[in-house]
Amino acid sequence: NAGVTQTPKFQVLKTGQSMTLQCAQDMNHNSMYWYRQDPGMGLRLIYYSASEGTTDKGEVPNGYNVSRLNKREFSLRLESAAPSQTSVYFCASRRGLVENYEQYFGPGTRLTVT
Amino acid sequence: ILNVEQSPQSLHVQEGDSTNFTCSFPSSNFYALHWYRWETAKSPEALFVMTLNGDEKKKGRISATLNTKEGYSYLYIKGSQPEDSATYLCAFWNNNDMRFGAGTRLTVKP
C-alpha cells in the first residue's frame, strides 16, 4: 500500500517548456487535489477533482491544466512554464468531499523554472 | 477570500517545555478544522479533524481545542521532545476544498 505517489521528485525546466506531473493513489479515494507550496504562503490549491470525471479550479489555477485519467490518477500539466511556477507541488487525496475526511499527501515534486 | 492565519510563524522551545500555537479562521459557514503535522522532507500527516464548537482532541502529548463562534483553534504540546520538531498546519474546510494556513514551525532543542 503505497498511499499517494508522485513523479518526478525533482525537475528543472526552462521558461516556455512544458511538462506533466503525475500523481497516483491506491486507497480507492474519490477526491484528488494539486497544491503548490511557496515559502511563507502555505499550501495553495491549484485544481481538484471531486470524483472521477470532474475537475474544478482552486485558488491559483492560472497556467495549469489537469486531467483525472481514472480513479487512481490525477495529472497536472504546465503548458508553458514560467519562473513564477517555481515551487514544490503536492498531490493529495481523500475519500470524498466530506468535511471530516482526512487528506493524504504525496511526497512532493520540487520544480525549478529558469 | 478565506484567510486562515497561524501564529506564531516559528517557535523555538527547550526539551520539556510545554507550548501552544493558534489558528484563526472565518467563523461563518464553519464545516471543519484540520490540523496536520509536517516534518522536514516528508509529507503533511493528519493530526486532528475537529467539527464541533468546544471540541477537544488529544493524541499522546498533543491536544487541540476548537472555538467556532470566535474562529480559532489552539494546538498544545505538553513536555515537548526533539521529535516534535515540525511545521504544524491548520486547514479550514471550505465546502469542497481546504484552505491552509502558512503553518507554525516548531523547533525543540535538546
Side-chain angles (χ1 to χ4, degrees):
Chain A
N1 190 339
V4 181
T5 57
Q6 291 181 234
T7 56
K9 287 191 177 176
F10 302 94
Q11 184 71 48
V12 179
L13 291 178
K14 293 186 177 173
T15 298
Q17 287 185 317
S18 62
M19 80 160 294
T20 300
L21 281 64
Q22 307 286 353
C23 173
Q25 51 88 12
D26 62 2
M27 296 174 280
N28 201 35
H29 284 171
N30 289 308
S31 304
M32 297 185 74
Y33 301 80
W34 276 105
Y35 293 90
R36 59 178 288 172
Q37 196 263 328
D38 301 294
M41 301 198 72
L43 291 162
R44 290 185 294 166
L45 183 66
I46 304 170
Y47 270 93
Y48 70 99
S49 170
S51 60
E52 188 179 355
T54 69
T55 60
D56 283 288
K57 294 179 181 179
E59 199 181 345
V60 289
N62 291 344
Y64 305 96
N65 283 304
V66 290
S67 296
R68 183 75 183 265
L69 305 168
N70 47 56
K71 192 171 186 180
R72 288 187 65 248
E73 297 171 289
F74 188 39
S75 62
L76 178 73
R77 182 158 179 84
L78 286 71
E79 290 291 351
S80 179
S84 60
Q85 294 178 304
T86 293
S87 188
V88 182
Y89 291 85
F90 286 93
C91 177
S93 72
R94 62 191 290 151
R95 206 189 316 171
L97 290 187
V98 176
E99 63 270 14
N100 61 346
Y101 287 160
E102 294 175 357
Q103 204 146 297
Y104 296 82
F105 288 85
T109 295
R110 186 173 292 274
L111 175 68
T112 303
V113 183
T114 60
Chain B
I1 296 175
L2 293 171
N3 286 326
V4 180
E5 307 284 343
Q6 289 189 249
S7 62
Q9 206 170 18
S10 66
L11 197 52
H12 294 252
V13 302
Q14 288 295 134
E15 182 175 355
D17 286 351
S18 293
T19 187
N20 66 85
F21 23 94
T22 307
C23 172
S24 301
F25 54 85
S27 55
S28 58
N29 295 320
F30 178 83
Y31 290 93
L33 194 283
H34 294 235
W35 280 99
Y36 287 81
R37 183 168 180 275
W38 193 358
E39 291 181 74
T40 304
K42 294 188 178 180
S43 311
E45 291 184 349
L47 273 176
F48 304 116
V49 180
M50 309 178 81
T51 56
L52 297 174
N53 185 43
D55 249 358
E56 188 166 339
K57 301 261 176 153
K58 190 173 181 182
K59 190 179 283 189
R61 293 179 291 98
I62 304 177
S63 60
T65 60
L66 178 68
N67 183 324
T68 61
K69 294 184 178 177
E70 295 181 44
Y72 65 84
S73 175
Y74 293 136
L75 190 81
Y76 299 92
I77 303 179
K78 186 177 177 182
S80 302
Q81 299 297 308
E83 57 265 30
D84 295 329
S85 296
T87 296
Y88 291 84
L89 296 174
C90 69
F92 175 77
W93 175 254
N94 172 37
N95 201 13
N96 288 333
D97 65 81
M98 287 206 289
R99 296 298 168 101
F100 284 84
T104 291
R105 185 175 182 84
L106 175 67
T107 304
V108 183
K109 301 175 190 175

